[in-house]
Amino acid sequence: MNSHLDKINDFTARLDIETLTALNAISVEKIFKKGNFLLRQDEVCKKSYWIEKGIARKYYLNDGKEITTELYFDNDIAVSFDSYCLQKPSREYIQALTDTTILQTDFGAFQTAKQQFPKLAKLDLMMTEYYAMWLEDRLFQFHTMDATHRYLKLIEDHPYIIQNIPLTFIASYLGISLETLSRIRAKK
Amino acid sequence: MNSHLDKINDFTARLDIETLTALNAISVEKIFKKGNFLLRQDEVCKKSYWIEKGIARKYYLNDGKEITTELYFDNDIAVSFDSYCLQKPSREYIQALTDTTILQTDFGAFQTAKQQFPKLAKLDLMMTEYYAMWLEDRLFQFHTMDATHRYLKLIEDHPYIIQNIPLTFIASYLGISLETLSRIRAKK
DNA sequence: ATTATCATTTGATGTAGGTCAAATAATGAA
DNA sequence: TTCATTATTTGACCTACATCAAATGATAAT
């Protein structure tokens, strides 16, 4: 979902072989079936999830209602951020919306590897920076754009999203009701 | 504004003397008069600003209207984040709301220092993480709380804010109109 | 003190988007 | 194919908050 991720992929692709090997050594490929959870509320987020192929979402419950905070596609990185950083129980769920192949990297092992491979530390900072910029942009959109414009921006950035994800999740992600999203789509 | 900053202050306070000395060597104390700008739109944010004493705000213009994105008090750190990270022109202004003493650290010098002093790199990551968590929390508040509750949360966290900052800025920061804020305050 | 400027309140009215309810449409299992 | 479940649309109504306008209150300069 984070459009800056191209740059992170570039950076990762250009890592020297030793660093890349070290990263691979602490990463495991896994497959999650549609509907399954990479992470549930109250669990500590001990892995970062590189989505190789598939779609996932992150959400939390607010008095019974699901609020989707992020949608993930190929090459996105999913974590419950504060849970991951502080290794404390997560407020959020991360769920596969399709069968999804991910590369998961262990938090502890990554912290250790960073000390040996400075480029991994650099990568960590870079990913965090881009995530913060993405959050700033999301806040910006909520402050300056109405529901229709937020929707248009979303399908502009991710045209395929409509084919693949139930509208409830998209509506929630956009911060509007399902009905409003439906009406926006009906117009024009 | 970032309540996690206590932890960063703790971390900074516990730095070894060499690291602290290196940090001091690239930092300069400056005083900004009320109303003056630490940073203007279109300038590159080449410094980070540690607010030692005073109040400041960050904002941008959206078709002529100011949107306040952050309020800073003693011991907060102010930067225009994407401008600082990517060293590109800033969309945002940073302005002193009172006479303000700041300690400013040069971006380039800090990047260099990080290579020599790993703890500075750690500090950099830590600050970025806390900023991202703060942004997440702000998004959370916009998603789950109405104007009244956001206001109550704000004065709970920063009781002194009312005495010191014109309501327009607070309203804008809360994402509501000046009039609505006034009405919220009138009740109870 | 007096006036000009800025900050805050109060009132009247408009609107984007929410909520509730019911009707279709699509999907999937037997 | 048929039924059951889930997703989407449509309609009627409601509400939180915006906008515009004008009054009042506070600050600061002359």
Side-chain angles (χ1 to χ4, degrees), chain B residues 5 13 15 25 31 34 42 53 61 73 91 94 96 104 115 123 139 141 144 148 164 176 182:
Chain B
L5 282 175
L15 288 176
I31 293 176
K34 176 176 177 172
D42 295 327
K53 180 127 204 60
L61 294 175
F73 304 96
R91 213 168 32 187
I94 302 175
Q104 62 179 221
Q115 289 171 242
L123 177 66
L139 273 164
Q141 289 188 37
T144 59
T148 303
N164 293 311
I176 59 182
S182 177

Side-chain angles (χ1 to χ4, degrees), chain B residues 11 14-16 19 114 117-124:
Chain B
F11 184 87
R14 285 195 202 112
L15 288 176
D16 54 288
T19 306
K114 280 200 297 182
F117 300 92
K119 288 208 177 132
L120 290 184
K122 213 165 191 174
L123 177 66
D124 197 11

Side-chain angles (χ1 to χ4, degrees), chain B residues 89-101:
Chain B
S90 170
R91 213 168 32 187
E92 297 168 307
Y93 297 80
I94 302 175
Q95 183 185 33
L97 297 182
T98 62
D99 291 1
T100 300
T101 309

Side-chain angles (χ1 to χ4, degrees), chain A residues 60 62 67 81-82 85-86 114 124-125 128-133 135-136 138-140 142-144, chain B residues 58 60 62 81-82 85-86 114 124-125 128-133 135-136 138-140 142-144:
Chain A
Y60 59 83
N62 189 248
I67 301 196
F81 190 74
D82 59 342
C85 287
L86 305 176
K114 280 201 295 182
D124 197 11
L125 177 62
T128 307
E129 285 175 343
Y130 281 119
Y131 182 57
M133 289 186 244
L135 289 167
E136 278 196 335
R138 208 161 137 71
L139 272 164
F140 175 78
F142 278 108
H143 280 315
T144 60
Chain B
K58 184 177 72 185
Y60 60 83
N62 189 247
F81 190 75
D82 59 342
C85 287
L86 306 175
K114 280 200 297 182
D124 197 11
L125 177 62
T128 306
E129 286 175 343
Y130 281 118
Y131 182 57
M133 289 186 244
L135 289 167
E136 278 196 337
R138 208 161 136 72
L139 273 164
F140 175 77
F142 277 108
H143 280 316
T144 59

Side-chain angles (χ1 to χ4, degrees), chain B:
Chain B
M1 210 55 204
N2 187 327
S3 57
H4 297 293
L5 282 175
D6 293 343
K7 288 172 192 167
I8 293 175
N9 284 318
D10 279 3
F11 184 87
T12 310
R14 285 195 202 112
L15 288 176
D16 54 288
I17 300 180
E18 299 85 55
T19 306
L20 217 47
T21 307
L23 188 56
N24 277 327
I26 57 174
S27 302
V28 184
E29 189 168 286
K30 278 195 79 175
I31 293 176
F32 288 85
K33 287 275 166 203
K34 176 176 177 172
N36 283 12
F37 289 88
L38 321 208
L39 180 75
R40 289 170 192 272
Q41 185 177 38
D42 295 327
E43 292 174 4
V44 173
C45 185
K46 292 196 178 104
K47 316 275 178 192
S48 63
Y49 304 98
W50 183 293
I51 314 288
E52 292 190 325
K53 180 127 204 60
I55 304 176
R57 68 168 176 140
K58 184 177 72 185
Y59 71 94
Y60 60 83
L61 294 175
N62 189 247
D63 46 59
K65 291 179 59 182
E66 297 181 354
I67 300 197
T68 296
T69 49
E70 198 165 358
L71 300 169
Y72 303 106
F73 304 96
D74 294 7
N75 294 318
D76 282 342
I77 296 160
V79 289
S80 177
F81 190 75
D82 59 342
S83 173
Y84 181 82
C85 287
L86 306 175
Q87 290 293 292
K88 65 170 197 185
S90 170
R91 213 168 32 187
E92 297 168 307
Y93 297 80
I94 302 175
Q95 183 185 33
L97 297 182
T98 62
D99 291 1
T100 300
T101 309
I102 62 127
L103 195 66
Q104 62 179 221
T105 305
D106 183 72
F107 171 84
F110 187 64
Q111 300 311 310
T112 308
K114 280 200 297 182
Q115 289 171 242
Q116 231 187 107
F117 300 92
K119 288 208 177 132
L120 290 184
K122 213 165 191 174
L123 177 66
D124 197 11
L125 177 62
M126 198 173 166
M127 291 191 299
T128 306
E129 286 175 343
Y130 281 118
Y131 182 57
M133 289 186 244
W134 178 81
L135 289 167
E136 278 196 337
D137 186 57
R138 208 161 136 72
L139 273 164
F140 175 77
Q141 289 188 37
F142 277 108
H143 280 316
T144 59
M145 292 158 61
D146 63 17
T148 303
H149 288 273
R150 293 202 299 279
Y151 171 72
L152 292 175
K153 178 90 165 64
L154 180 64
I155 53 168
E156 187 191 319
D157 293 350
H158 301 275
Y160 42 88
I161 208 174
I162 298 307
Q163 275 77 46
N164 293 311
I165 302 186
L167 291 191
T168 336
F169 302 152
I170 296 173
S172 170
Y173 176 73
L174 290 171
I176 59 182
S177 72
L178 173 60
E179 295 92 331
T180 296
L181 178 55
S182 177
R183 280 183 251 265
I184 287 169
R185 282 157 48 77
K187 293 183 300 188
K188 188 163 168 288

Side-chain angles (χ1 to χ4, degrees), chain A residues 53-149:
Chain A
K53 181 127 203 58
I55 304 176
R57 69 168 176 141
K58 184 177 72 187
Y59 70 94
Y60 59 83
L61 295 175
N62 189 248
D63 46 59
K65 291 179 59 181
E66 297 180 355
I67 301 196
T68 297
T69 50
E70 198 164 358
L71 300 168
Y72 303 105
F73 304 97
D74 294 7
N75 294 319
D76 282 342
I77 296 159
V79 289
S80 177
F81 190 74
D82 59 342
S83 172
Y84 182 81
C85 287
L86 305 176
Q87 290 291 293
K88 66 170 196 184
S90 170
R91 211 168 32 188
E92 297 168 307
Y93 297 80
I94 303 176
Q95 182 185 34
L97 297 182
T98 62
D99 291 359
T100 301
T101 310
I102 63 128
L103 195 65
Q104 62 178 223
T105 305
D106 183 73
F107 171 84
F110 187 63
Q111 299 311 309
T112 308
K114 280 201 295 182
Q115 288 171 243
Q116 232 187 106
F117 300 91
K119 289 209 176 130
L120 291 184
K122 214 166 190 173
L123 177 65
D124 197 11
L125 177 62
M126 197 172 167
M127 291 190 300
T128 307
E129 285 175 343
Y130 281 119
Y131 182 57
M133 289 186 244
W134 177 81
L135 289 167
E136 278 196 335
D137 186 57
R138 208 161 137 71
L139 272 164
F140 175 78
Q141 289 189 36
F142 278 108
H143 280 315
T144 60
M145 293 157 62
D146 63 16
T148 303
H149 287 274

